[in-house]
Amino acid sequence: MLTKYAVLAATAAAAVAAAPTKRAAAGQADIDVVILNYALTLEHLENAFYRDTLATYDAGAFRAAGYPDWVRQRFVEIGGHEKAHVDFLTKALGDQATAECKYNFGVTDVNTFIATAALLEGIGESAYLGAAQNITNPSTLTAAGSILTVESRHQGWVSSSVLQGDGFPRDTSTPLNFNQTYSLAAPLITSCPSTNPALPVKAFPAATVTGDVCGGKTVTVAGQGVQSGQYAAFLAGLSVYYAPIGDNGSVTIPQDVGYGRIYMVVSKVNNSIADDNVVAGPAVIDIPLSSTQAEEISPLNKN
Ligand SMILES: *[C@@H]1O[C@H](CO)[C@@H](O)[C@H](O)[C@H]1NC(C)=O
Ligand SMILES: *[C@@H]1O[C@H](CO)[C@@H](O)[C@H](O)[C@H]1NC(C)=O
Ligand SMILES: *[C@@H]1O[C@H](CO)[C@@H](O)[C@H](O)[C@H]1NC(C)=O
Ligand SMILES: *[C@@H]1O[C@H](CO)[C@@H](O)[C@H](O)[C@H]1NC(C)=O
C-alpha cells in the first residue's frame, strides 16, 4: 500500500521527470528541479537540526529550562515532519537529489535551541512562499504548498505556545526569495558534499539591527557596504516599508511595520528590494506585541 507521502512523492517525481516545462536557456537545469533541491537544502538543515540537537537535550534539560515534557515531545514530532519532507523531496528528485551538508547551529542550551527552531521554521515558511511563483508544475506546487502550511503551523506553535508571543501577528505571511533565504541559512552551513548540484544562489553580506527595535524608535543598522543615503527595507507580510539610513546607520523604524517577526534588508533604493539593489541582509527582528499593545491599551500611561 502506498502511504500518503509515497503518493505525493510519486506525483512530484512524475512531474519532475515528465515536465521539461520551463527549461530556461540551453544547459540550464529544469527550474522545478532547482527549486525542489533548494527546498531539500533547507529541509536537510531542519532535519539535522532537530535530530542532532534533540539528541543532546533530553526531557530533563527541557524541564530544567522550564518547559514541560509535551514541549519537547512536539519538537520531536516536528523533527519527524522535517525528516519526512527530506525523504519526500529526495524520492521525488531521485539521482538529482542534493545531500545533507555539515552544520553549525550555534545551539548552547535549550533556549538557543528554541530560538533557532523559531528562526528555521520562519525561514521554511517564507522560503516556500517566496518560491511558489517560480514553480511551473501544478502538482509540484500543490506538494510544496502542502509542506508550506505545515512549516507555517510549526512556526506558529513555536512563537505562541512555546515563546508565548502571537502565532499570527499579521494577516499575511512574508515571502523571501532564493537569495534572501540562502543568506539566512548559509551562516549555519559549514560544508557540503562536492557532488551536490550547484544552486543559483548567493548570500548577501550580513546586516544587524541594534537598539530598541519597535515601530517609531530609532535603531542602528550596520553591515558590510551599508552607508547613509541607502534605505532599510522592512519586510512584514506582503508589505515592504522603507526608511532612510542616516548618519552612523541610524534608522527610524516605520510605525506601520506592526509587530512579530520582520525581516530587514538594506537597499540602494527606496522602492525595490530586487537582488540587484540589495546591499546586505536580511536581518531577523522581532517586535514584541507588548511594545505596541502598551500604547493601545493604556494611552494615558505613556511616558
Ligand atoms: C522567480 O520569479 C521571479 C518573478 O518572476 C523572478 O524575478 C526570479 O528571477 C525567479 N527566480 C528564479 C530562480 O527563477
Ligand atoms: C541570486 O544570486 C545569483 C548569484 O549571484 C544570481 O545569479 C541571481 O540572479 C540572484 N537572484 C535570484 C532571484 O536568483
Ligand atoms: C557618528 O559617529 C561618530 C563616531 O562615533 C561621532 O563622532 C558622530 O558625532 C556621529 N554622528 C552623528 C550624526 O551622530
Ligand atoms: C525615493 O527616492 C527618490 C529619489 O531617488 C525621491 O525623489 C523620493 O521622494 C523618495 N520617496 C520616498 C517615499 O522617500
Side-chain angles (χ1 to χ4, degrees):
M1 202 192 99
L2 286 178
T3 63
K4 264 182 300 184
Y5 269 117
V7 172
L8 264 180
T11 313
V16 167
T21 28
K22 215 183 254 179
R23 260 177 219 282
Q28 268 194 287
D30 185 317
I31 187 65
D32 285 0
V33 170
V34 171
I35 294 171
L36 290 184
N37 261 327
Y38 157 81
L40 180 54
T41 301
L42 297 177
E43 296 289 359
H44 275 308
L45 176 74
E46 291 183 304
N47 176 44
F49 168 71
Y50 290 106
R51 182 193 62 210
D52 298 349
T53 319
L54 286 170
T56 307
Y57 299 102
D58 62 8
F62 272 74
R63 269 180 236 134
Y67 294 101
D69 288 0
W70 61 265
V71 168
R72 186 177 182 284
Q73 282 157 13
R74 287 287 185 287
F75 276 120
V76 170
E77 194 180 350
I78 290 175
H81 291 174
E82 308 304 359
K83 170 150 193 335
H85 296 164
V86 166
D87 293 346
F88 162 62
L89 291 166
T90 300
K91 189 161 183 193
L93 284 157
D95 60 8
Q96 300 183 80
T98 199
E100 188 176 307
C101 299
K102 299 220 179 309
Y103 311 100
N104 181 359
F105 298 111
V107 170
T108 51
D109 55 21
V110 168
N111 287 318
T112 49
F113 163 80
I114 291 171
T116 308
L119 174 75
L120 293 181
E121 298 299 338
I123 294 174
E125 175 184 19
S126 291
Y128 276 98
L129 186 57
Q133 66 175 339
N134 296 97
I135 297 174
T136 53
N137 186 287
S139 313
T140 308
L141 182 57
T142 301
S146 160
I147 292 176
L148 159 60
T149 73
V150 174
E151 300 289 348
S152 173
R153 272 174 279 153
H154 293 164
Q155 191 279 331
W157 175 77
V158 178
S159 55
S160 60
S161 295
V162 182
L163 294 171
Q164 303 191 354
D166 189 339
F168 33 87
R170 60 186 60 83
D171 56 6
T172 54
S173 294
T174 309
L176 292 175
N177 74 17
F178 297 91
N179 288 344
Q180 290 162 357
T181 301
Y182 186 68
S183 303
L184 291 168
L188 307 179
I189 302 175
T190 50
S191 68
C192 292
S194 58
T195 45
N196 275 1
L199 290 175
V201 290
K202 67 156 187 221
F204 297 114
T208 57
V209 180
T210 49
D212 188 2
V213 179
C214 174
K217 293 278 165 57
T218 298
V219 293
T220 301
V221 169
Q224 189 191 318
V226 175
Q227 49 187 259
S228 67
Q230 297 169 342
Y231 296 85
F234 297 88
L235 289 64
L238 292 174
S239 300
V240 182
Y241 302 91
Y242 296 87
I245 300 178
D247 288 332
N248 295 339
S250 80
V251 169
T252 302
I253 300 179
Q255 283 286 359
D256 293 343
V257 298
Y259 57 92
R261 176 140 299 179
I262 288 162
Y263 298 97
M264 193 273 325
V265 298
V266 173
S267 176
K268 291 176 210 157
V269 295
N270 63 9
N271 57 5
S272 165
I273 50 165
D275 287 340
D276 286 351
N277 294 318
V278 170
V279 175
V284 179
I285 59 180
D286 285 310
I287 299 184
L289 173 59
S290 55
S291 67
T292 47
Q293 203 180 39
E295 288 194 358
E296 283 166 21
I297 290 178
S298 47
L300 298 178
N301 288 347
K302 257 174 30 176
N303 297 323

